[in-house]
Amino acid sequence: MMIAKTIKAGMIQMTCCPEKASNLGKAKKNVREAAAMGAKVICLQELFSTTYFCWEENYDNFLLADAIPGPVTETFGKLARELDVVIIASLFEKRAEGVYHNTVAVFDADGSLMGIYRKHHIPDDPGYYEKFYFAPGDGGYKVFDTKYGRIGTLICWDQWYPEAARITSLMGAQVIFYPTAIGWASSQPEALNREQYDAWQIIQRGHAVANGVFVVSVNRTGKEGEMNFWGGSFVAGPFGELLYKAPHDSEVIHVHELDCSRTEAIRVHWPFLRDRRIDSYGPVRERYIDKSKSEVVG
Amino acid sequence: MMIAKTIKAGMIQMTCCPEKASNLGKAKKNVREAAAMGAKVICLQELFSTTYFCWEENYDNFLLADAIPGPVTETFGKLARELDVVIIASLFEKRAEGVYHNTVAVFDADGSLMGIYRKHHIPDDPGYYEKFYFAPGDGGYKVFDTKYGRIGTLICWDQWYPEAARITSLMGAQVIFYPTAIGWASSQPEALNREQYDAWQIIQRGHAVANGVFVVSVNRTGKEGEMNFWGGSFVAGPFGELLYKAPHDSEVIHVHELDCSRTEAIRVHWPFLRDRRIDSYGPVRERYIDKSKSEVVG
């Protein structure tokens, strides 16, 4: 078990183009640059090797998927070893014929593929037809004892679910990384854009507060069709404090040193984990609680 | 079942003095004023009938407790009926010899005591010795089908727990009311005050986002000994948007009309409840998950 005192987190917020090779090349170049800037745990955005193909339901897009292990994971494993860094790489995973996932692969600094996390919460709404492509992850929540610290990984839509952040934190994550692809429809008014970004940031900062962990959220930027990916990647500290926010409309390579001793300080002074009423949380496993069934739950 | 289209929420943020009769008198006067301003569901702050006696462990303070039902609940029941309003009243409850709770009583507009909710999460840290006084609530989470809408109630330290807000929301709460007593030590620097207030507000706005519900948080204000209660009561909409924030250092009676149709709009466009992975949430009932036990949970 590797509990780090500090973690130098690298975040890569980039635009993507239709050519997969080009995106992979840019991602590798950016990882090198982040490493040169001192990053030790480097997180790429969700589905960085392609444009966000889920904007439509198109069978041809299944050809974009990668096997794990496969050529892409081999490439990033080698890169991790060469640079002595941990890499969190999001892939469209082909697990079997007809079984595809939205997955992150985590490479340790020795280049080994430590494991994968398959996105549990799958969205489906106009412009984000992910249920067409991705089977929900069945492997549970994950943390990885990397050379540079114990990190948790969740993916995009997972970020709206306090349960996912809670479980990942209870497993000892020092940081939760969220590779993401979320944007504004071009037709939307600016006030609505702002409201949506704020909700997205606030709930993740809320996870940081609830659990006393760092949150590093890495989003895509750039315009793809009618979608403006909103960038705005950020780092929150273990009391929800906003430590860094990237611009909305430009590519960014950012390195942020996380002082992990802050988790202990916060959790001792605000002992939320101590006082959890685990005996009363059974109903979180309900879809909905019909009042007629019972006046009292928990 | 009473699902309201709008709810006129009344919030009473006040200072308290050592004389219980005086606080009760002020609370009643304020409830009348809120009702005159149009409020239909009126929430008083936590333990409004006394100063925040939990700053010390003093056996004499147990004499401050009230039975439910008892003279205090009788008074507020009558007031609710007279004004045709719902009242959420926080009490130091004596349930039996040696069994005391931090409780809210909810009165319907006909004056009936609809039920109580007993605080589940009990803090204990310097200046907030609540574990000395209050047994943890054993009655589960609650919603109340009042004349003016289905409301959920949680209390102060509960507000740091996403599970409590989740379960209350799954029971159909349109609004979660949080009577609160939280403040800054006089010795603290302003930057720390700001960070603490922000964390407090952000996590509750996060509950609003996660669940698509309104959050109405009603805090005490004023200086008591070395504690400056931070006021700053607020209303958040179902996407976490800040609709109202009270000043930190003055008494306030505020009425806010909540447009409950917003919950349907938000929940359909951001269908977080639809995509919950209830099959994977079992581990939220763990105190901590020792990694050696298992690499994978959920």
Side-chain angles (χ1 to χ4, degrees):
Chain A
M1 175 165 145
M2 173 61 209
I3 298 301
K5 289 182 180 163
T6 62
I7 294 176
K8 289 184 179 171
M11 309 159 71
I12 294 171
Q13 169 177 309
M14 62 184 236
T15 62
C16 293
C17 71
E19 291 74 39
K20 193 168 167 181
S22 169
N23 297 318
L24 285 167
K26 177 154 67 169
K28 284 188 280 184
K29 180 172 159 292
N30 288 344
V31 168
R32 286 184 192 281
E33 188 169 332
M37 292 164 69
K40 295 299 182 189
V41 180
I42 300 173
C43 183
L44 289 149
Q45 73 206 25
E46 188 184 17
L47 301 172
F48 64 89
S49 72
T50 60
T51 52
Y52 185 73
F53 56 83
C54 314
W55 70 272
E56 61 170 354
E57 298 198 354
N58 182 339
Y59 290 106
D60 293 340
N61 286 333
F62 286 96
L63 298 172
L64 297 169
D66 293 296
I68 299 178
V72 172
T73 59
E74 196 177 325
T75 297
F76 282 94
K78 279 183 186 162
L79 190 63
R81 185 173 58 192
E82 177 197 327
L83 301 173
D84 193 29
V85 299
V86 171
I87 298 176
I88 301 165
S90 160
L91 288 93
F92 177 20
E93 178 195 4
K94 179 173 181 173
R95 184 177 181 182
E97 293 86 342
V99 184
Y100 294 77
H101 292 285
N102 187 327
T103 302
V104 286
V106 177
F107 304 93
D108 209 352
D110 65 1
S112 62
L113 176 59
M114 298 193 79
I116 60 174
Y117 165 73
R118 292 176 173 135
K119 186 174 181 174
H120 269 46
H121 300 88
I122 309 294
D124 189 296
D125 57 280
Y128 299 88
Y129 300 105
E130 294 199 18
K131 289 192 197 294
F132 176 71
Y133 296 102
F134 310 127
D138 59 334
Y141 303 101
K142 297 283 185 76
V143 297
F144 301 92
D145 281 334
T146 75
K147 178 175 180 182
Y148 299 114
R150 179 175 283 184
I151 62 166
T153 52
L154 292 167
I155 303 172
C156 202
W157 196 240
D158 289 330
Q159 62 213 162
W160 302 97
Y161 296 86
E163 294 91 344
R166 176 70 93 198
I167 295 169
T168 302
S169 300
L170 292 179
M171 294 173 78
Q174 300 186 275
V175 193
I176 302 177
F177 286 92
Y178 286 97
T180 300
I182 189 167
W184 298 304
S186 301
S187 55
Q188 276 188 187
E190 179 57 29
L192 189 54
N193 289 353
R194 162 61 56 182
E195 180 182 89
Q196 293 180 351
Y197 179 83
D198 285 351
W200 177 79
Q201 189 189 80
I202 282 168
I203 195 166
Q204 292 176 83
R205 291 170 66 187
H207 303 330
V209 176
N211 298 294
V213 296
F214 287 88
V215 166
V216 175
S217 201
V218 180
N219 190 28
R220 158 186 309 247
T221 189
K223 189 166 163 61
E224 299 179 14
E226 289 309 301
M227 190 65 69
N228 291 309
F229 288 93
W230 72 41
S233 300
F234 70 91
V235 179
F239 208 39
E241 66 277 27
L242 186 65
L243 299 175
Y244 168 74
K245 184 193 161 189
H248 291 291
D249 52 5
S250 57
E251 298 192 315
V252 175
I253 300 170
H254 179 73
V255 180
H256 210 97
E257 181 167 285
L258 314 177
D259 173 7
C260 299
S261 68
R262 179 117 171 103
T263 288
E264 171 74 4
I266 285 292
R267 285 192 187 166
V268 168
H269 283 83
W270 293 87
F272 306 140
L273 295 189
R274 181 193 67 189
D275 295 333
R276 293 180 70 236
R277 287 292 307 278
I278 54 176
D279 59 306
S280 73
Y281 297 158
V284 299
R285 300 173 74 182
E286 300 288 332
R287 177 69 64 211
Y288 197 74
I289 299 161
D290 299 299
K291 187 90 182 327
S292 53
K293 269 204 310 199
S294 170
E295 284 289 310
V296 178
V297 301
Chain B
M1 175 165 146
M2 172 60 208
I3 299 300
K5 290 183 182 163
T6 62
I7 293 175
K8 290 184 177 168
M11 308 159 73
I12 295 171
Q13 170 178 308
M14 61 185 239
T15 62
C16 293
C17 70
E19 291 74 38
K20 192 168 168 181
S22 169
N23 298 318
L24 285 167
K26 177 155 66 167
K28 284 189 280 185
K29 180 171 159 289
N30 288 345
V31 167
R32 286 183 190 283
E33 189 169 331
M37 292 164 69
K40 294 299 182 189
V41 180
I42 300 172
C43 183
L44 290 148
Q45 73 207 25
E46 188 184 18
L47 301 172
F48 65 88
S49 71
T50 58
T51 52
Y52 185 71
F53 56 84
C54 313
W55 70 273
E56 61 169 353
E57 298 198 353
N58 182 339
Y59 291 106
D60 292 342
N61 287 333
F62 286 96
L63 298 173
L64 296 169
D66 293 296
I68 299 178
V72 173
T73 60
E74 195 177 327
T75 297
F76 282 94
K78 278 184 187 161
L79 190 63
R81 183 172 61 192
E82 176 197 328
L83 301 173
D84 193 29
V85 298
V86 171
I87 298 175
I88 301 165
S90 161
L91 288 93
F92 178 21
E93 179 195 3
K94 179 173 182 174
R95 185 177 180 182
E97 292 86 343
V99 184
Y100 294 75
H101 292 284
N102 186 327
T103 301
V104 286
V106 177
F107 304 92
D108 209 353
D110 65 1
S112 61
L113 176 58
M114 297 192 79
I116 59 174
Y117 164 74
R118 292 175 173 135
K119 187 174 182 174
H120 268 47
H121 301 88
I122 310 294
D124 189 297
D125 56 280
Y128 299 89
Y129 300 104
E130 293 199 18
K131 289 192 197 295
F132 175 72
Y133 295 102
F134 310 127
D138 58 335
Y141 303 101
K142 297 283 185 77
V143 295
F144 301 92
D145 280 335
T146 75
K147 178 175 179 181
Y148 299 114
R150 179 177 282 185
I151 62 167
T153 52
L154 291 167
I155 304 172
C156 202
W157 196 240
D158 289 330
Q159 62 212 164
W160 302 96
Y161 296 86
E163 295 91 343
R166 176 69 93 198
I167 295 169
T168 302
S169 300
L170 291 178
M171 295 173 77
Q174 301 186 276
V175 192
I176 302 176
F177 286 92
Y178 286 98
T180 300
I182 189 167
W184 298 304
S186 300
S187 55
Q188 278 189 185
E190 179 57 29
L192 189 56
N193 289 352
R194 162 61 57 182
E195 179 182 88
Q196 293 181 350
Y197 179 84
D198 285 352
W200 177 79
Q201 190 190 78
I202 282 168
I203 196 165
Q204 293 176 82
R205 291 170 66 188
H207 302 332
V209 176
N211 297 295
V213 296
F214 287 88
V215 165
V216 175
S217 201
V218 181
N219 191 29
R220 146 185 322 240
T221 190
K223 187 165 163 60
E224 298 180 15
E226 289 309 299
M227 190 65 70
N228 290 309
F229 288 92
W230 71 41
S233 301
F234 70 91
V235 179
F239 207 39
E241 67 276 27
L242 187 65
L243 299 175
Y244 169 73
K245 183 192 162 192
H248 290 292
D249 51 6
S250 57
E251 299 193 315
V252 175
I253 300 169
H254 179 73
V255 180
H256 210 95
E257 181 167 285
L258 314 178
D259 172 8
C260 298
S261 68
R262 179 115 171 106
T263 288
E264 172 74 4
I266 286 291
R267 285 193 187 166
V268 168
H269 284 81
W270 293 87
F272 307 138
L273 295 189
R274 181 193 66 188
D275 295 334
R276 293 180 70 235
R277 287 292 306 278
I278 54 176
D279 58 307
S280 73
Y281 298 158
V284 300
R285 300 173 73 183
E286 301 287 333
R287 176 70 63 210
Y288 197 73
I289 299 161
D290 300 300
K291 187 91 182 323
S292 53
K293 267 202 312 197
S294 169
E295 284 288 312
V296 177
V297 300

